[in-house]
Amino acid sequence: MDTILNNKKKGIAAALFCMFLWGSAFPVLKLSYQELNIPANDFMTKIYFAGIRFFLSGILVFLYSFFFTKTKRGKIDLKFLLLLGLVQTTIQYFFFYIGVGNTSGVKSSILQASSTFLIVLFSHFIFKDDSLSLRKIIALAFGFGGIFAANISMGLDLSFRLTGEGFLLMSSLANALGTILVKLKGKDMNPLTLTLGQMIFGSLLLLIPGKIFQHSPLVWTPFAVLLLFYSAFISAAAFTLWYELLKHYKSGEISVYQLFIPIFGSFLSLALLPEEHLNYNLIIGLILVCIGIWILNRKRFV
């Protein structure tokens, strides 16, 4: 895998595949909530479901690592894995699941994408070889412009709630901090080990309080089980590949591809959710994001 991801074109393809997986989580989660019969305002049951999802993701990573790879596990830093699981899984998804429940879908997409800017900004101050440049700033401007363009037609209000927009910003901050932690401390660890430790430790801190304060029973239909396993696969595959990418590329540059998550999420929602409809803003948004990505990878642009 190291040889493959060292090739920039294949690295970009791998990054876009991660974004596709994470983008597909939005419609899949909506379908899961419907199939499991979770009320819209029952956030602790959603957190409990998130805990199940990430614990299962950890099991999938373990099974893949045990049966299908011969790669050495490398060193294991339990303190770091606990910290990463707390930040990247527990904190991020605790705030995310509650925040989404108290915020419109438009704001959720825009605010969640703010983690991209935070990663680029943190990288500028932490990593000497990953400083801000005019090229990055222009690329980010096009990327965020595309996200706004894709969502603005659905309506955008300026209200602010701590448990809504505030929690989504905290979720984005946790996501950015998790990425920086992996770049700083996770280089010497196997990406499978990083993902497994993060998922298992982080999911337990979602499962326990979620189960204690769960309000509604989960209705496990065959389709719900299928959606759960796909959701678990999303996390297992995307995080493992993402951590491998962070070993080979600067976090400030590779993280700009996260701007594709709401774009993929929008198109997949159109395909899977009958209440969603195509609009020109979505097409314009995709074009702007693509321009931003093109600028980022044009070394001689500025």
Side-chain angles (χ1 to χ4, degrees):
M1 183 178 285
D2 283 359
T3 303
I4 294 174
L5 295 183
N6 272 324
N7 180 296
K8 188 167 185 179
K9 289 185 178 179
K10 292 180 179 178
I12 292 173
L16 290 176
F17 179 63
C18 288
M19 303 312 113
F20 174 85
L21 288 175
W22 278 321
S24 69
F26 290 96
V28 168
L29 279 176
K30 287 186 177 181
L31 290 171
S32 297
Y33 291 157
Q34 295 171 10
E35 194 68 17
L36 291 165
N37 198 28
I38 302 176
N41 61 347
D42 189 352
F43 304 121
M44 293 310 296
T45 301
K46 291 180 180 179
I47 288 172
Y48 174 57
F49 173 63
I52 296 174
R53 169 193 171 184
F54 288 108
F55 188 80
L56 180 58
S57 295
I59 293 176
L60 292 179
V61 173
F62 172 77
L63 292 175
Y64 175 78
S65 176
F66 187 81
F67 289 106
F68 299 104
T69 68
K70 296 181 180 180
T71 305
K72 293 182 179 180
R73 303 293 183 268
K75 74 171 189 176
I76 298 177
D77 186 340
L78 287 177
K79 290 183 179 179
F80 175 70
L81 291 177
L82 282 167
L83 176 62
L84 183 64
L86 177 65
V87 173
Q88 191 77 303
T89 300
T90 306
I91 295 177
Q92 179 185 178
Y93 288 98
F94 175 85
F95 285 122
F96 179 79
Y97 276 83
I98 296 177
V100 168
N102 291 320
T103 314
S104 69
V106 176
K107 281 190 173 181
S108 296
S109 298
I110 295 173
L111 291 172
Q112 193 66 14
S114 64
S115 63
T116 304
F117 177 74
L118 291 172
I119 293 170
V120 174
L121 186 62
F122 291 161
S123 297
H124 171 74
F125 292 104
I126 296 173
F127 305 108
K128 293 182 179 180
D129 64 341
D130 203 3
S131 60
L132 278 173
S133 64
L134 181 57
R135 177 164 55 90
K136 287 184 183 179
I137 294 171
I138 293 174
L140 282 170
F142 272 97
F144 280 110
I147 291 173
F148 274 97
N151 289 284
I152 199 69
S153 66
M154 299 172 64
L156 182 65
D157 64 87
L158 300 177
S159 62
F160 185 91
R161 293 179 62 185
L162 176 62
T163 57
E165 295 83 354
F167 274 24
L168 282 171
L169 288 174
M170 293 178 193
S171 173
S172 296
L173 177 60
N175 175 270
L177 290 175
T179 297
I180 297 299
L181 281 172
V182 171
K183 190 67 177 177
L184 279 171
K185 302 284 188 178
K187 280 187 175 182
D188 298 327
M189 294 184 66
N190 188 310
L192 289 170
T193 302
L194 283 170
T195 306
L196 173 60
Q198 169 196 322
M199 297 299 177
I200 295 298
F201 292 137
S203 65
L204 290 176
L205 295 176
L206 291 169
L207 272 171
I208 295 171
K211 180 61 177 177
I212 292 173
F213 297 103
Q214 178 187 3
H215 294 295
S216 308
L218 299 176
V219 180
W220 290 107
T221 65
F223 186 45
V225 173
L226 179 64
L227 290 171
L228 171 63
F229 272 91
Y230 177 72
S231 297
F233 168 76
I234 289 173
S235 301
F239 273 108
T240 300
L241 189 55
W242 184 246
Y243 291 156
E244 185 69 44
L245 284 166
L246 287 173
K247 292 173 62 176
H248 298 282
Y249 298 95
K250 298 176 182 178
S251 56
E253 290 192 355
I254 197 70
S255 294
V256 175
Y257 289 91
Q258 289 186 345
L259 293 169
F260 263 104
I261 293 176
I263 299 297
F264 281 131
S266 298
F267 275 107
L268 290 169
S269 294
L270 288 169
L272 298 174
L273 302 173
E275 64 269 22
E276 301 289 338
H277 303 285
L278 182 65
N279 57 68
Y280 289 110
N281 297 69
L282 187 60
I283 298 173
I284 294 172
L286 178 60
I287 292 172
L288 289 174
V289 170
C290 289
I291 291 173
I293 298 300
W294 176 79
I295 292 173
L296 183 69
N297 289 282
R298 292 285 294 181
K299 292 184 178 180
R300 296 184 180 180
F301 182 76
V302 290

